[in-house]
């Protein structure tokens, strides 16, 4: 559940964010905040972002700290189970991708690919509260 | 390494969302064998090259049980493995047969105490952790068709259920519910208490 992800992230947030040297950039919020996404596009953007984190981010976040690695595993596995639930909406076509969410997600990928992979992954993980806040506010 | 056999009888005991890995000790005469435990979730299996993650509290432990609750936190399929270590010698890994998912945990009925405080029907429930909700059913004895319900997400004190009629008997039972796995326990045994006072007093 989102609460489990939030709990896991809170436990390692300071550690992860301290590994992100590039403070001036944002992966999720540049140039526009997630909060600008239309409600009709929310399911699609959420589904895209879950896949983004599962397929691109978590695997590049392994650290030398066993506790951090365990919490990242907990978050990643919770993402998988939530993505599966979201997938059911996708299959029932309740998760249509409009032009705006497609554009928004392209921007996020461009932000991500603009950095070297480890920095981009650590920054994305450090911005997880942005995603969680948006999900809790909009869902 | 082949000299040290892998731990056997590896199993997971899971009750009320508390999960423990257990195994049989590896016996080496005159020596203290230690064990290390690792886990692998669906994410590690499918997206991280089948990697395994050590549980530091159960690294080089002499115990033959490991609390894996903190790490089995998502509702996906997990595998666990344990090996024996004696000095520099390490046994092969012993791995759980099949997968474990927290949806498989066994749920026991809640512990509750029902109190008649004068005309007040009170219930006290033992706390079982943040994952648990409680569904309490209560009714006036003889009116089993008019059962009332209260759902509680947190239990940190005595809860007032109802104001009872003088001298009447009221019964209560409860079950737990875990939203994360969408399952409920069976009901606790029913407990009945009698309200203070005498019915005839009401007829005067």
């Amino acid at each position: 559940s989102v609460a489990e992800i939030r709990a896991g992230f809170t436990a390692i947030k300071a550690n992860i964010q301290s590994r992100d040297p590039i403070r001036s950039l944002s992966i999720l919020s540049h140039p526009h905040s997630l909060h600008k996404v239309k409600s009709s596009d929310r399911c699609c953007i959420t589904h895209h972002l879950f896949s983004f984190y599962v397929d691109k981010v978590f695997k590049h976040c392994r650290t030398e700290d066993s506790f951090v690695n365990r919490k990242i595993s907990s978050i990643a596995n919770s993402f998988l189970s939530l993505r599966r639930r979201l997938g059911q909406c996708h299959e029932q076509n309740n998760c249509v991708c409009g032009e705006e969410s497609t554009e928004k997600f392209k921007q996020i990928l461009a932000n991500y690919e603009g950095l070297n992979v480890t920095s981009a992954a650590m920054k994305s993980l450090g911005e997880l509260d942005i995603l969680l806040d948006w999900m809790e506010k909009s869902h | 390494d082949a000299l040290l056999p892998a731990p056997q009888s590896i199993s997971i005991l899971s009750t009320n969302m508390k999960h423990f890995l257990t195994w049989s000790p590896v016996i080496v005469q005159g020596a203290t064998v230690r064990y290390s435990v690792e886990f692998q979730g669906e994410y590690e299996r499918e997206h991280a090259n089948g990697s395994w993650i050590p549980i530091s509290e159960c690294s080089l432990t002499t115990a033959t049980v490991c609390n894996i609750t903190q790490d089995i936190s998502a509702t996906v399929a997990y595998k666990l493995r344990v090996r024996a270590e004696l000095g520099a010698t390490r046994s092969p890994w012993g791995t759980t047969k099949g997968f474990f998912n927290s949806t498989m945990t066994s749920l026991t009925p809640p512990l509750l105490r029902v109190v008649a405080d004068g005309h007040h029907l009170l219930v006290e429930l033992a706390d079982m952790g943040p994952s648990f909700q409680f569904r309490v059913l209560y009714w006036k004895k003889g009116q089993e068709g008019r059962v009332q319900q209260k759902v509680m997400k947190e239990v940190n004190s005595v809860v007032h259920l109802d104001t009872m009629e003088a001298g009447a008997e009221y019964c209560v039972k409860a079950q737990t519910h875990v939203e994360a796995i969408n399952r409920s326990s069976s009901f606790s045994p029913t407990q009945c208490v009698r309200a203070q006072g005498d019915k005839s007093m009401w007829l005067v």
Side-chain angles (χ1 to χ4, degrees):
Chain A
S1 71
V2 173
E4 273 154 21
I5 294 172
R6 173 84 70 182
F9 179 67
T10 303
I12 57 171
K13 177 177 174 178
N15 182 302
I16 295 297
Q17 291 183 348
S18 69
R19 295 168 190 264
D20 173 14
I22 314 163
R23 288 300 189 188
S24 54
L25 268 177
S26 167
I27 303 266
L28 296 184
S29 300
H30 173 78
H32 304 304
S33 151
L34 279 172
H35 293 277
K36 289 193 174 295
V37 170
K38 282 190 299 197
S39 57
S40 57
D41 281 11
R42 274 188 208 133
C43 175
C44 171
I45 261 283
T46 305
H47 195 259
H48 272 319
L49 284 172
F50 272 54
S51 296
F52 165 69
Y53 273 91
V54 166
D55 299 332
K56 283 184 174 294
V57 172
F58 295 127
K59 62 182 68 178
H60 296 298
C61 292
R62 196 84 180 219
T63 74
E64 75 299 333
D65 185 318
S66 161
F67 176 77
V68 171
N69 292 343
R70 288 161 72 183
K71 288 301 173 189
I72 291 173
S73 166
S74 170
I75 293 167
N77 281 290
S78 293
F79 259 68
L80 271 189
S81 93
L82 273 178
R83 184 173 74 164
R84 189 165 296 137
R85 269 189 248 163
L86 269 176
Q88 286 152 16
C89 298
H90 222 269
E91 280 149 26
Q92 295 147 17
N93 267 324
N94 300 340
C95 203
V96 177
C97 289
E99 193 186 328
E100 184 175 321
S101 55
T102 305
E103 263 320 297
K104 176 63 189 175
F105 187 62
K106 274 185 193 163
Q107 180 65 60
I108 287 171
L109 286 183
N111 295 343
Y112 185 86
E113 269 129 30
L115 302 172
N116 80 70
V117 69
T118 305
S119 301
M122 243 355 140
K123 175 176 274 301
S124 303
L125 182 55
E127 291 185 9
L128 206 49
D129 48 357
I130 294 174
L131 173 59
L132 296 173
D133 292 346
W134 172 70
M135 280 177 65
E136 280 169 0
K137 203 173 203 178
S138 55
H139 284 73
Chain B
D1 284 357
L3 298 179
L4 206 52
Q8 299 297 310
S9 314
I10 300 165
S11 64
I12 294 172
L13 304 178
S14 175
T15 305
N16 294 330
M17 297 299 270
K18 299 269 190 308
H19 322 303
F20 295 86
L21 183 74
T22 68
W23 57 91
S24 302
V26 171
I27 308 295
V28 176
Q29 288 308 328
T32 303
V33 174
R34 295 176 181 276
Y35 306 92
S36 291
V37 175
E38 295 185 347
F39 72 93
Q40 180 190 74
E42 180 183 336
Y43 174 78
E44 284 73 30
R45 223 169 15 264
E46 308 291 339
H47 299 271
N49 311 310
S51 55
W52 292 82
I53 298 183
I55 298 179
S56 35
E57 292 85 352
C58 305
S59 289
L60 295 176
T61 179
T62 53
T64 56
V65 58
C66 173
N67 186 341
I68 57 176
T69 305
Q70 289 297 317
D71 296 294
I72 310 296
S73 59
T75 49
V76 296
Y78 284 88
K79 269 200 172 279
L80 278 293
R81 69 182 187 180
V82 54
R83 71 180 169 193
E85 303 190 25
L86 184 55
T89 307
R90 289 174 174 175
S91 77
W93 288 102
T95 305
T96 45
K97 293 185 181 57
F99 294 105
F100 175 75
N101 188 318
S102 52
T103 55
M104 297 155 69
T105 194
S106 70
L107 296 176
T108 61
L111 295 174
L112 75 158
R113 191 169 67 97
V114 179
V115 177
D117 179 9
H119 298 304
H120 297 293
L121 177 61
L122 309 177
V123 68
E124 190 173 17
L125 287 148
D127 185 16
M128 297 177 73
S131 316
F132 286 79
Q133 297 174 16
F134 296 87
R135 182 166 167 248
V136 180
L137 302 185
Y138 55 98
W139 62 94
K140 185 178 169 188
K141 201 161 191 179
Q143 293 187 4
E144 278 65 20
R146 291 177 57 198
V147 173
Q148 297 184 72
Q149 158 179 306
K150 197 168 267 199
V151 175
M152 290 175 246
K153 296 217 171 185
E154 281 156 16
V155 282
N156 31 41
S157 62
V158 176
V159 174
H160 181 275
L161 291 179
D162 208 348
T163 303
M164 303 185 279
E165 290 169 27
E169 197 171 3
Y170 285 72
C171 299
V172 181
K173 64 180 181 180
Q175 67 178 160
T176 64
H177 179 73
V178 180
E179 211 164 299
I181 60 174
N182 196 24
R183 280 184 43 219
S184 298
S185 73
S186 55
F187 275 100
S188 64
T190 298
Q191 289 183 46
C192 300
V193 291
R194 186 178 296 280
Q196 172 195 319
D198 177 3
K199 267 192 194 167
S200 56
M201 275 177 54
W202 287 87
L203 303 178
V204 167

